[in-house]
Amino acid sequence: MNGLTQFQQDLFDVATREVPKEAPKLMRKIGSKARTTVAKKSRSLVKKKTGMYHKKWKRGKVFVGYHGELVVRVYNSSPHAHLVEDGHWMVDHEGNKTGDFVPGKKPMDKGMREFEASGDVESETVKWLDELLRKKKL
């Protein structure tokens, strides 16, 4: 969270320590916004055949990451999402190669970069801190 002032960062640290049940709510809200941004980016990059790829964007549960921070995942649950993301060889129904390598479109990476650059994380965090102060939880 680079866009916060030092006071806001200190307030965020106090809030996560003093009111630990409130921080996952913030992470869920941020994760939902990230899912929306990634889904929009994938719709602009990937052609639609049946629409199942575009309908399967999900926000995961909030969990504690490797370094002790709260993390929320955004993922696509469609069975062919990894093929669109990473690329694949063209094959027939028996599994024989029939063509060239189709490069991946990387909608997840591009969408997450766009989301991080938008400043939504910092703005949502500031709104959350203001709300905690207004409700006198801090």
Side-chain angles (χ1 to χ4, degrees), residues 74-135:
V74 174
Y75 64 96
N76 193 311
S77 63
S78 67
H80 63 289
H82 67 285
L83 301 174
V84 174
E85 184 75 28
D86 301 327
H88 59 90
W89 287 99
M90 292 294 291
V91 294
D92 61 7
H93 291 286
E94 284 88 41
N96 303 321
K97 283 187 188 177
T98 59
D100 294 331
F101 186 78
V102 177
K105 303 216 187 240
K106 303 285 186 197
M108 173 75 90
D109 294 339
K110 293 175 183 173
M112 285 308 293
R113 273 195 240 115
E114 185 178 304
F115 176 71
E116 290 167 359
S118 69
D120 283 343
V121 176
E122 290 82 8
S123 65
E124 284 296 324
T125 304
V126 170
K127 285 181 195 173
W128 177 70
L129 289 172
D130 290 343
E131 184 179 325
L132 285 181
L133 289 171
R134 197 175 324 106
K135 289 182 176 179

Side-chain angles (χ1 to χ4, degrees), residues 37-101:
T37 304
V38 170
K40 284 180 184 175
K41 190 67 172 177
S42 74
R43 285 186 194 102
S44 70
L45 292 175
V46 181
K47 291 189 296 186
K48 180 178 173 182
K49 279 191 179 179
T50 63
M52 292 312 293
Y53 175 76
H54 300 296
K55 294 176 187 175
K56 297 285 187 158
W57 286 104
K58 309 244 186 283
R59 172 192 43 88
K61 292 182 180 178
V62 177
F63 62 96
V64 178
Y66 293 119
H67 303 293
E69 76 280 2
L70 290 176
V71 180
V72 63
R73 282 196 185 112
V74 174
Y75 64 96
N76 193 311
S77 63
S78 67
H80 63 289
H82 67 285
L83 301 174
V84 174
E85 184 75 28
D86 301 327
H88 59 90
W89 287 99
M90 292 294 291
V91 294
D92 61 7
H93 291 286
E94 284 88 41
N96 303 321
K97 283 187 188 177
T98 59
D100 294 331
F101 186 78

